[in-house]
């Protein structure tokens, strides 16, 4: 399981994030198990492996967020993760609005992880993104990427 999760982390593109469940699903595919392999026991094993890789700061660790876009627990991890994500352009810079960030990223679509927003995705030019929480947004290059992410997240 560790090698599959390690490989998935390394394959997350720069300036993008994946939810823990997306990482788990991708790891199970690499292990030849598919979606039917996700149960509590498997999530526990994969989650433990993922936590170890985060603690070791394995390549790509900072690109994994919770299902609602939250950063890793623990002040040290969360701060380091936010700095790394901002450095890559995966999250708005301090003081930068979501609209400014989307324009800088040349994003076509912007999605919001927060369930209170309905995990929606709209045009990067839609003014509604101005009110979205900057730490829980995701820039997407096109609708194909959106469909791939929906499939991977089970939604």
């Amino acid at each position: 399981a560790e090698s599959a999760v390690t490989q998935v982390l390394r394959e997350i593109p720069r300036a993008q994030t994946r939810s823990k469940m997306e990482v788990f699903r991708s790891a199970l595919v690499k292990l030849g198990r598919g979606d039917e392999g996700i149960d509590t026991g498997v999530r526990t094993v994969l989650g433990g492996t993922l936590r170890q890789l985060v603690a070791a700061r394995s390549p790509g660790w900072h690109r994994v967020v919770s299902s609602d876009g939250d950063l890793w627990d623990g002040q040290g991890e969360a701060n380091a993760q936010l700095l790394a994500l901002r450095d890559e352009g995966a999250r708005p810079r301090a003081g930068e609005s979501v609209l400014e960030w989307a324009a800088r990223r040349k994003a076509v679509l912007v999605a919001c992880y927060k369930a209170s927003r309905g995990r929606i995705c709209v045009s990067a030019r839609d003014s509604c993104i101005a009110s979205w929480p900057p730490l829980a947004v995701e820039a997407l290059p096109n609708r194909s990427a959106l469909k791939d992410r929906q499939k991977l997240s089970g939604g």
Side-chain angles (χ1 to χ4, degrees):
E2 183 176 341
S3 64
V5 175
T6 300
Q7 187 177 358
V8 169
L9 292 184
R10 290 183 178 168
E11 291 173 353
I12 301 171
R14 180 176 168 79
Q16 293 186 25
T17 57
R18 297 292 183 270
S19 72
K20 293 172 188 174
M21 186 57 76
E22 289 172 317
V23 170
F24 296 166
R25 287 180 188 271
S26 295
L28 287 171
V29 168
K30 290 188 180 307
L31 294 169
R33 295 198 50 190
D35 285 349
E36 68 279 354
I38 297 182
D39 59 30
T40 303
V42 168
R43 280 195 306 267
T44 300
V45 170
L46 292 176
T49 299
L50 187 55
R51 280 190 298 282
Q52 289 173 355
L53 294 170
V54 167
R57 302 291 202 267
S58 293
W61 74 272
H62 62 286
R63 296 182 185 124
V64 181
V65 296
S66 71
S67 62
D68 67 354
D70 286 340
L71 305 179
W72 283 97
D73 292 336
Q75 199 60 32
E77 287 87 2
N79 287 337
Q81 184 178 21
L82 180 56
L83 289 173
L85 291 173
R86 283 180 168 163
D87 184 54
E88 291 183 354
R91 294 293 185 272
R93 296 174 182 143
E96 184 178 38
S97 74
V98 176
L99 280 168
E100 293 166 334
W101 164 79
R104 178 173 57 84
R105 286 284 318 270
K106 296 178 176 64
V108 173
L109 302 168
V110 176
C112 183
Y113 277 104
K114 291 294 182 190
S116 63
R117 301 277 180 198
R119 281 199 81 169
I120 60 174
C121 184
V122 298
S123 166
R125 289 177 270 180
D126 192 314
S127 62
C128 76
I129 68 173
S131 66
W132 289 3
L135 298 184
V137 292
E138 178 80 26
L140 298 170
N142 53 48
R143 294 230 176 257
S144 177
L146 173 61
K147 288 180 184 178
D148 290 344
R149 294 293 300 281
Q150 287 173 326
K151 181 180 175 186
L152 192 57
S153 67

